Amino acid sequence: MRQANRILAIIFALGFMFLALLIVVELIFERSGAGPAIVNWHSIYDWMGSRTWDSRSVRVIGGLCVLGGLVLLALQLIPRKKPRLRVRGADDEIDAAIDRNSVVRTVQQAVGDIDGISRARVALHGNKVTVDARRRAEQSEGTTTETVAAATHRAVDALHLRRPPRISVKLDTAKER
């Protein structure tokens, strides 16, 4: 969601910068007596003066503005992922936490250290760690889903999280993909 907010902020900032530049250019041209430079504001003003609140075009434009505002509001009301996961400590008054990316890297390293694993992708979505590992075909007998799950549990338990995430493991051999 953070990426969507950044993209929307960039779009709105560029739009407002363009609008401000347009207004400055139009004011300069109007004050110099050259007339409109890019946009014929007089025809827009005349068009707006001839419309009433009951006009279909006014209602459509107003509805689009309301819809855009509601979409932006809904995007802001979507709950965000907590950037940190709280860690158990000796004292409850101390706020200790670990970054979500650190949890992913810790589990990825623990699974990657297992003999026979050629690649491990780890994702942390909400309160669930998902491990998608690939084992080498020539060493496929010794590496099982239980082995990967046990290594994942050990890595997560070593972090001493207050709410340990659920763990989901998928293990394939290199030939199966």
Side-chain angles (χ1 to χ4, degrees):
M1 195 66 201
R2 189 181 302 166
Q3 295 292 54
N5 282 346
R6 288 180 181 166
I7 291 170
L8 285 173
I10 289 170
I11 290 170
F12 277 107
L14 289 174
F16 284 127
M17 287 172 31
F18 175 75
L19 185 63
L21 182 66
L22 179 68
I23 290 171
V24 168
V25 168
E26 289 294 333
L27 282 174
I28 291 171
F29 271 76
E30 186 67 33
R31 295 291 177 179
S32 66
I38 300 170
V39 179
N40 188 357
W41 296 101
H42 299 292
S43 65
I44 294 173
Y45 182 74
D46 292 339
W47 178 84
M48 289 190 313
S50 65
R51 300 290 180 257
T52 64
W53 287 105
D54 294 337
S55 299
R56 184 176 181 175
S57 57
V58 172
R59 290 182 181 205
V60 168
I61 291 171
L64 289 175
C65 290
V66 168
L67 182 66
L70 289 175
V71 166
L72 290 175
L73 181 63
L75 287 174
Q76 291 303 315
L77 293 177
I78 295 173
R80 308 287 193 277
K81 290 188 285 189
K82 294 180 181 174
R84 313 174 314 142
L85 298 175
R86 296 180 70 187
V87 177
R88 282 191 311 261
D91 190 2
D92 286 338
E93 295 178 10
I94 297 174
D95 182 29
I98 187 168
D99 185 55
R100 297 177 74 82
N101 292 332
S102 298
V103 174
V104 169
R105 285 191 301 267
T106 301
V107 172
Q108 193 165 13
Q109 184 177 7
V111 173
D113 288 344
I114 298 172
D115 287 335
I117 297 292
S118 62
R119 181 190 53 82
R121 290 186 183 163
V122 178
L124 178 60
H125 298 290
N127 198 31
K128 183 178 181 182
V129 173
T130 304
V131 179
D132 185 11
R134 181 186 288 181
R135 60 184 167 200
R136 294 182 192 96
E138 64 272 3
Q139 297 177 349
S140 62
E141 294 83 26
T143 307
T144 63
T145 304
E146 291 78 22
T147 308
V148 176
T152 304
H153 279 287
R154 280 193 305 274
V156 169
D157 290 342
L159 296 174
H160 303 290
L161 299 173
R162 285 194 183 177
R163 277 188 50 207
R166 296 183 323 249
I167 295 173
S168 171
V169 176
K170 180 180 176 186
L171 180 65
D172 292 328
T173 59
K175 291 180 183 179
E176 290 176 336
R177 291 192 180 191

